[in-house]
Amino acid sequence: MKKIEHIWISVIFLLAAFFVHFAQIGNLSIYILDEAKNASAAMEMWQTSEWVLPTFNGLPRYDKPPLHYYFFGLAYELFEITPFAARFFPALMGWWTICMVFFTMKRKFGIEAGLVSGFALLASVHWVIQFHLAVPDPFLIFFLTASLLCFTRFWEGNRLRKTWLRWMGLVLGLAVLSKGPVAIVLIVGTIVLFILFQKGGFWRDFKFVLDPFAILIFLLVSLPWYLLIAWKTDGVWVQEFFFKHNVSRFASPMEGHGGGFHLTLLFVLVGMMPGSMVLVASWRSVLTYANAPTLVKISLIFSALTIMFFMLSGTKLPNYTAPAYPFLAIMIGWVIARPGGWKQVRWGGLISLLVLISLPIAVYFGLRGDATYSDSAYAGWYFLVGSGIGIVSLYYWFLGRWRSHYVSLCIGFLTVSLIFLIWAFPVLDNRNPVIASEASELSELDFYHFGEFNPSFVFLVKKTIVDLQKLDDKPKEGIVILRKGNMEEFVKLGYSYDVIFEGRDLFEKPTTVLLRIK
């Protein structure tokens, strides 16, 4: 009977996780800068059957390797070119990652540990949003998680049997095709540090890991595309990607995304709430490294290495440290599910609780403080539902019922994610230029741009937006997209036009203008 009960609990949890990851993925516009460029690049590769050189708006895109473009292209084939298709595989990667963590923890430490770790991820607002975006990070997170879990299975089993190492070679190769050399740095760094902390000799243990077949599989998966792109672009793509988008991003801030060392740690603490606060409050338990199981040791090393690596990086973004989340969740599950572990949520849970209860006020006054969105500030009050659940959690805190306190707290944060996706963000999304301009109704016309423009229009009209300044002959009709700051220069070209839309980009300073030339 208990086994049947556990099966039903597992099924219900995983179905709930599936619902959360796929909620609203087709009902919000492809608007955020990274989403727009990644989804559009995949669209262009799919439309032209060009599977080597990524392009955006007809020009080479050097930012990322192609694996996520291939997945997006497959989704476009299955579901047509829609926001749902662009986000389908990222959502699936998030759900698969939670499944991996849940079943790993359930196998190692029991059903309660699996549920705690799974809820730690599902309750993270940043996690839910991350896997609602058509970007490469979900693929990197999934394949990095799979890589280290394969290594753990190898280390804990018969090390003369290299099957798990070879699976690791496969998924690590896919991680390198997802986002580049950072996957090698984090995985190899974790394994080297883990072996260094072992009591046996380093070189003896390291030789077990250096399986020729695993290395061959890794190279066969990861290397051919990099060789092809180097050949096709005479080395330009490789140079741009490795030196500009890897070395330069690490050495100095790019695109205004800088900050101090503390910013990276803040991203993790806020992004992984409420579980992160539990880890902070139970730091003594986390640092009992010598007595921890192999899975927890590897999770601790990988999480610490990932956070410290990006603390040193010049460019800082919240998504950079997201690969650590599954392993932070593993540590959270291990800490809480041990005998007496529920007491660890006492003070960490209280900090997260204060954030949950105060969230509606923060959102409301944050929107009221911006004249552009002040009339949408009411969306902040939607989060009162989460605050109400937070008050229930506070009630359990006073009773000392730590399990009920933490479960209700996680449900509160999960409710915040769903409210954001289903009710709050759509209020603002409807005001972004892509939707508000109703440009989709004009997609049969030719589209042009003058200077910089919002890249989300490329995905909207599903075709290249031609640079007006590079044309030899003036077009007689069409739609021109430009920034308001470039209007004066555009007027000098002598076009006859009507202004059909003017509006500020969502949470950005520029104002987008659409003109119809005639």
Side-chain angles (χ1 to χ4, degrees):
M1 182 65 70
K2 191 173 182 180
K3 183 177 181 181
I4 295 174
E5 181 182 320
H6 283 184
I7 290 173
W8 277 110
I9 291 173
S10 301
V11 169
I12 292 170
F13 169 73
L14 294 176
L15 285 176
F18 185 87
F19 169 78
V20 171
H21 281 86
F22 282 84
Q24 287 287 90
I25 64 170
N27 295 330
L28 300 173
S29 66
I30 296 289
Y31 179 76
I32 297 172
L33 178 73
D34 284 348
E35 266 205 303
K37 289 191 173 182
N38 282 289
S40 300
M43 175 188 71
E44 292 180 18
M45 294 182 81
W46 179 75
Q47 289 174 331
T48 61
S49 297
E50 168 58 74
W51 301 113
V52 178
L53 177 62
T55 62
F56 170 73
N57 203 37
L59 300 175
R61 187 165 196 256
Y62 304 106
D63 298 50
K64 300 294 182 294
L67 187 67
H68 64 297
Y69 301 138
Y70 298 158
F71 277 99
F72 293 179
L74 174 59
Y76 295 153
E77 181 71 26
L78 295 173
F79 309 115
E80 299 184 344
I81 302 173
T82 62
F84 176 87
R87 296 181 179 125
F88 176 81
F89 280 107
L92 194 60
M93 291 293 159
W95 185 64
W96 280 349
T97 306
I98 279 192
C99 289
M100 280 196 301
V101 170
F102 172 75
F103 284 116
T104 297
M105 291 297 288
K106 181 182 175 183
R107 177 179 59 85
K108 290 287 295 178
F109 308 114
I111 183 72
E112 186 173 61
L115 289 171
V116 171
S117 293
F119 264 117
L121 292 175
L122 210 54
S124 163
V125 177
H126 183 207
W127 174 273
V128 174
I129 293 174
Q130 180 69 69
F131 286 96
H132 274 72
L133 299 178
V135 292
D137 300 88
F139 300 88
L140 177 70
I141 294 167
F142 173 76
F143 290 118
L144 286 181
T145 304
S147 295
L148 279 184
L149 293 184
C150 285
F151 176 78
T152 303
R153 293 296 296 269
F154 157 74
W155 194 266
E156 292 177 334
N158 183 352
R159 295 182 207 169
L160 296 178
R161 299 183 63 182
K162 307 288 186 174
T163 304
W164 286 109
L165 270 185
R166 291 161 192 174
W167 278 111
M168 178 186 170
L170 171 66
V171 291
L172 181 57
L174 293 172
V176 173
L177 280 178
S178 299
K179 216 170 177 183
V182 67
I184 301 175
V185 172
L186 296 178
I187 295 296
V188 173
T190 298
I191 292 172
V192 169
L193 289 172
F194 173 74
I195 295 174
L196 276 173
F197 291 139
Q198 298 301 303
K199 293 181 181 179
F202 174 81
W203 289 112
R204 185 199 66 186
D205 288 338
F206 194 64
K207 287 177 183 178
F208 280 116
V209 181
L210 293 178
D211 175 55
F213 287 104
I215 295 172
L216 178 62
I217 291 169
F218 167 76
L219 294 174
L220 288 175
V221 171
S222 63
L223 197 57
W225 179 82
Y226 284 96
L227 295 176
L228 278 173
I229 195 68
W231 169 75
K232 186 161 187 170
T233 62
D234 293 325
V236 173
W237 194 97
V238 174
Q239 182 177 348
E240 286 282 324
F241 174 67
F242 283 99
F243 290 101
K244 179 180 178 180
H245 292 286
N246 284 272
V247 176
S248 294
R249 277 184 182 273
F250 188 84
S252 58
M254 287 187 67
E255 301 167 352
H257 298 300
F261 289 98
H262 67 282
L263 190 59
T264 299
L265 190 58
L266 186 63
F267 285 152
V268 175
L269 292 176
V270 175
M272 195 60 186
M273 275 189 178
S276 59
M277 294 295 102
V278 174
L279 284 180
V280 171
S282 56
W283 63 271
R284 288 186 179 87
S285 298
V286 174
L287 294 180
T288 56
Y289 181 87
N291 300 322
T294 298
L295 176 62
V296 177
K297 290 179 179 179
I298 289 174
S299 298
L300 176 59
I301 293 172
F302 180 80
S303 300
L305 177 63
T306 301
I307 294 168
M308 287 190 288
F309 180 80
F310 289 110
M311 286 177 74
L312 296 174
S313 173
T315 305
K316 292 179 170 60
L317 286 168
N319 60 299
Y320 285 178
T321 47
Y325 287 10
F327 298 97
L328 293 172
I330 286 171
M331 289 192 288
I332 293 165
W334 176 69
V335 166
I336 292 179
R338 291 189 302 171
W342 283 106
K343 293 181 181 179
Q344 303 284 350
V345 308
R346 182 179 183 182
W347 297 114
L350 187 60
I351 295 171
S352 300
L353 183 59
L354 295 174
V355 173
L356 181 62
I357 292 175
S358 62
L359 185 62
I361 298 173
V363 174
Y364 175 80
F365 284 104
L367 293 174
R368 278 295 295 267
D370 190 319
T372 305
Y373 310 112
S374 59
D375 60 343
S376 301
Y378 68 89
W381 300 127
Y382 292 149
F383 296 104
L384 284 171
V385 178
S387 299
I389 299 173
I391 292 172
V392 174
S393 179
L394 182 61
Y395 169 75
Y396 286 127
W397 188 90
F398 280 113
L399 294 179
R401 295 171 59 179
W402 308 123
R403 182 186 276 104
S404 299
H405 157 66
Y406 186 69
V407 170
S408 55
L409 184 61
C410 287
I411 293 173
F413 273 89
L414 177 55
T415 302
V416 165
S417 295
L418 292 175
I419 289 171
F420 174 80
L421 293 169
I422 298 172
W423 289 297
F425 188 69
V427 172
L428 301 175
D429 189 42
N430 289 330
R431 302 184 59 170
N432 78 59
V434 174
I435 294 180
S437 66
E438 299 181 345
S440 60
E441 298 181 8
L442 304 169
S443 58
E444 73 280 358
L445 297 174
D446 292 327
F447 272 69
Y448 306 93
H449 71 90
F450 183 79
E452 292 186 1
F453 71 105
N454 191 315
S456 54
F457 282 99
V458 176
F459 187 82
L460 177 77
V461 300
K462 298 178 176 57
K463 57 188 176 184
T464 299
I465 297 177
V466 179
D467 188 345
L468 197 64
Q469 294 170 291
K470 292 184 178 181
L471 294 177
D472 295 328
D473 299 319
K474 286 186 176 182
K476 296 180 180 180
E477 187 180 16
I479 304 298
V480 179
I481 308 171
L482 70 161
R483 303 295 195 192
K484 188 175 182 180
N486 293 329
M487 275 294 296
E488 186 176 341
E489 186 178 353
F490 172 80
V491 170
K492 295 177 182 178
L493 299 178
Y495 283 97
S496 176
Y497 65 87
D498 292 323
V499 177
I500 59 176
F501 174 79
E502 180 178 318
R504 180 180 154 191
D505 288 0
L506 193 61
F507 299 123
E508 300 285 347
K509 293 181 179 180
T511 296
T512 289
V513 179
L514 266 67
L515 313 173
R516 184 164 186 167
I517 53 177
K518 54 186 179 178

